[in-house]
Each structure stands twice: as structure tokens, then as C-alpha cells.
């Protein structure tokens, strides 16, 4: 896990010093003692396994202070184009959608990553090979889409939960048994409407 606890012996410093200290610490993956009661309920955790690289990640990506930058970087690396090794900054709202799906479908399960970021070259190659569902201007190329399964949750149920969230695009691919979610406009294809 990406969190460490830090205790501050001098918590009663002058306000300007404390503000500077906290401003610098806001970007670090920490749980501050005075925020720990609230942070414990505001931690957004995700678990991943990439099906092509067999890499695993269990990370708190957001807390009461906002997105945790080192955690976001680790997720971005995991969700890189596994064919080319290229990485991009994924839209963090995508992680919020995945967290909401996990919560709605029963807790803290592992997302299996089928596809996430795709470089333009990879996207063009997949289109040339005739892969169904690969759009010319795919949101995968913008770091705004991911194709997943959720361990222990039927993909039809996951699909219905994603549609109910109304947070972006939802596409269900029953033959390949995965769900596409993105941070684009709300639209649905192949998915069960709730």
C-alpha cells in the first residue's frame, strides 16, 4: 500500500510555517494525524491485475486531500500501452468510475485490465487487423477509457451497474466477456440498460 503514517512532534508551529509544510506534504502519499479520522473514510482504493503483463497493483489513489500523485503515476504505468510501452496520463475520473463500480458491485475486488491506454500506432494497427470495437478516434488514445472485468462479479451485472452510474460511455462485449468504460459523453452499446 502507498500510505505511511507520520507523526508531527511540533504541531503547534506558527501558522505560516504550518501552511508551507502542509502545502508541500499535500502532494505526498501520507495520512496526516489530524486528518486520519476523516481520511480513513475518504480513502479510494483500487486493485488491478493486467491480463497481458500479469502485473498487480493495490493502491489508494485518492484521499481526503485529493488525488495521490505517486499512486496516480503507478496506475498510469500499469495502464500503459503494453504493446509499445508508451504511457500517458490517464483521466483520474476514470479511476473514480472504477471505484464506484467496485463499491456498487460488492466491495474491494480486483479489476482485470484488458486494455487501457493505446498509442495512436497501436490503435491503427488494431483497426487494420479488423478488431471489432476499435474506434478511429478511440478514447483509449486519450487515456480516457479502460476495458475491464471485475473478479467475482458477473460482467452482465457490472455492465448494468456502469449504466446506472451514468458517468460516461459503457460498452459491453459479451463474447470477450469485458466491459468498456470511459469518461466521454454518456452513451451505451451492448450493455444492459437499468
Amino acid at each position: 500500500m502507498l500510505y505511511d503514517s507520520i507523526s508531527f512532534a511540533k504541531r503547534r508551529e506558527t501558522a505560516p510555517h504550518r501552511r508551507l509544510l502542509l502545502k508541500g506534504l499535500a502532494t505526498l502519499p501520507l495520512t496526516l494525524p489530524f486528518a486520519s479520522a476523516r481520511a480513513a473514510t475518504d480513502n479510494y482504493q483500487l486493485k488491478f491485475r493486467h491480463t497481458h503483463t500479469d502485473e498487480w497493483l493495490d493502491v489508494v489513489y485518492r484521499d481526503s486531500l485529493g488525488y495521490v500523485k505517486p499512486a496516480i503515476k503507478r496506475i498510469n504505468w500499469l495502464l500503459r500501452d503494453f504493446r509499445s510501452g508508451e504511457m500517458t496520463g490517464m483521466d483520474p475520473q476514470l479511476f473514480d468510475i472504477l471505484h464506484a463500480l467496485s463499491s456498487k458491485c460488492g466491495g474491494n475486488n480486483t479489476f482485470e485490465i484488458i486494455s487501457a491506454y493505446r498509442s495512436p500506432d497501436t490503435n491503427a494497427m488494431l483497426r487494420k487487423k479488423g478488431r471489432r470495437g476499435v474506434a478511429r478516434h478511440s478514447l483509449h488514445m486519450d487515456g480516457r477509457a479502460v476495458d475491464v472485468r471485475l473478479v467475482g462479479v458477473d460482467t452482465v451485472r457490472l455492465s448494468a451497474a456502469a449504466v446506472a452510474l451514468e458517468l460516461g460511455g459503457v460498452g459491453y462485449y459479451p463474447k470477450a466477456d469485458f466491459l468498456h468504460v470511459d469518461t466521454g459523453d454518456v452513451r451505451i452499446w451492448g450493455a444492459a440498460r437499468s
Side-chain angles (χ1 to χ4, degrees), residues 155-166 168-172 179 186-194:
T155 311
V156 172
R157 181 173 161 230
L158 186 65
S159 169
V163 169
L165 289 175
E166 297 183 344
V170 178
Y172 173 50
L179 184 71
V186 174
R187 61 210 190 290
I188 302 165
W189 63 97
R193 298 172 195 271
S194 56

Side-chain angles (χ1 to χ4, degrees), residues 2-6 8 18-44 60-70 72 92 96:
L2 248 169
Y3 272 78
D4 299 314
S5 292
I6 287 187
F8 292 98
R18 186 172 38 217
R19 270 189 250 119
L20 289 175
L21 176 67
L22 292 176
K23 183 178 178 186
L25 290 177
T27 62
L28 297 176
L30 308 173
T31 302
L32 302 173
F34 50 84
S36 61
R38 181 163 175 243
T41 60
D42 289 347
N43 286 343
Y44 290 71
V60 172
Y61 73 94
R62 189 173 130 191
D63 62 17
S64 63
L65 300 175
Y67 292 112
V68 181
K69 288 182 183 181
I72 297 295
D96 293 334

Side-chain angles (χ1 to χ4, degrees), residues 135 140 162:
H140 285 276

